[in-house]
Amino acid sequence: MNLILLGAPGAGKGTQAEKICDKYGIPAVSTGNIIREAIKNGTDMGLKAKSYTDAGALVPDDVVIGIIKERLAEHDCKNGFVLDGFPRTIPQAEALDKMGVVIDKVVDIEVSDEAIAARLSGRRVCLKCGATYHTEYKKSKTEGICDICGDELVQRKDDKPETVLDRLRVYHEQTEPLKDYYEKTGKLVIVEGQEKVEDTTALVFKTLED
Ligand code: AP5
């Protein structure tokens, strides 16, 4: 099963990608996570990407298309994958088509901009193991400490309120048009993502089983 998860920043793509991976045993491919890892490791790509992500802007298409080409060629993607955060522009979607990748479903998680702002301002992440929490909706057992590896939890630089507004603007301008793009292929399914995580997961699983 080859899937794309669409949705605004903070709509819950990463959260739902994890649930799909656990249930179906396929890897989640998150361009955001790959880019953050490259920034942390100070690679050439990470250095190039940092100024864009910090400002809430998109990293240039050629960079992310290169990342995806390499990642999808890896062995663990042979039996399927969930794309979380790619494509994000029409040229990225066209590049995916040109690679000959056949997508089975595109699940768009819909959440209002108001709810997004609340979710992202409360998100806390562990830079060591990548786990994600929320100060209200998904608390760690000890405040500020990762349940999994015990490292400190921090707020992502791009989750600061002013940057979230920029990310939402970029989403509406550059990523939302992908809904039309995939609507035309007949593969788009829209899922209500405004309620609790478990409710969204149930809706996502249902669309995958239909
Ligand atoms: P990326 O990491 O992909 O960020 P994003 O799309 O902005 O998505 P997020 O990770 O912020 O949100 P999410 O939808 O995964 O939500 P989550 O599940 O964590 O990209 C970061 C940057 O990298 C981009 O800005 C760009 O610069 C660059 N980049 C990446 N891909 C690119 C590409 N293809 N092209 C160009 N540039 C690219 O949930 C959010 C929070 O809400 C969490 O705290 C969670 O616990 C909570 N939550 C989730 N669901 C619920 C719920 N139902 N109810 C209450 N709380 C919830």
Side-chain angles (χ1 to χ4, degrees), residues 117-189:
R119 284 189 193 178
L120 292 185
S121 63
R123 174 164 58 183
R124 297 293 178 270
V125 295
C126 174
L127 295 181
K128 191 167 172 202
C129 75
T132 300
Y133 301 86
H134 194 280
T135 50
E136 198 180 327
Y137 310 126
K138 191 185 171 195
K139 294 181 181 178
S140 56
K141 287 184 193 126
T142 309
E143 199 186 324
I145 301 293
C146 179
D147 291 348
I148 299 166
C149 71
D151 218 47
E152 191 193 354
L153 299 179
V154 296
Q155 184 174 44
R156 260 169 56 176
K157 233 183 190 168
D158 60 348
D159 279 348
K160 305 258 188 265
E162 55 286 9
T163 314
V164 168
L165 289 180
D166 286 330
R167 287 165 67 198
L168 280 169
R169 186 182 41 75
V170 168
Y171 166 75
H172 290 303
E173 282 172 15
Q174 301 196 50
T175 307
E176 219 170 10
L178 286 174
K179 284 200 253 173
D180 273 351
Y181 185 92
Y182 285 115
E183 172 83 72
K184 287 184 189 131
T185 67
K187 292 177 180 168
L188 182 77
V189 189

Side-chain angles (χ1 to χ4, degrees), residues 33-138:
N33 286 347
I34 295 171
I35 291 167
R36 276 186 292 280
E37 191 62 22
I39 294 174
K40 193 169 97 184
N41 295 332
T43 67
D44 283 352
M45 188 269 280
L47 292 174
K48 250 192 252 170
K50 189 174 185 316
S51 59
Y52 296 98
T53 56
D54 282 356
L58 293 183
V59 172
D61 286 336
D62 59 331
V63 176
V64 276
I65 290 166
I67 291 174
I68 283 294
K69 253 189 201 155
E70 272 183 29
R71 182 64 187 91
L72 294 187
E74 285 177 33
H75 186 71
D76 65 334
C77 291
K78 202 168 52 82
N79 295 323
F81 50 80
V82 186
L83 288 178
D84 160 19
F86 184 95
R88 254 180 155 98
T89 63
I90 299 282
Q92 291 179 19
E94 290 169 345
L96 195 61
D97 292 342
K98 276 199 203 117
M99 284 177 222
V101 174
V102 178
I103 296 297
D104 298 303
K105 263 186 193 157
V106 179
V107 180
D108 175 53
I109 306 174
E110 292 274 314
V111 178
S112 69
D113 285 6
E114 293 71 26
I116 297 276
R119 284 189 193 178
L120 292 185
S121 63
R123 174 164 58 183
R124 297 293 178 270
V125 295
C126 174
L127 295 181
K128 191 167 172 202
C129 75
T132 300
Y133 301 86
H134 194 280
T135 50
E136 198 180 327
Y137 310 126
K138 191 185 171 195

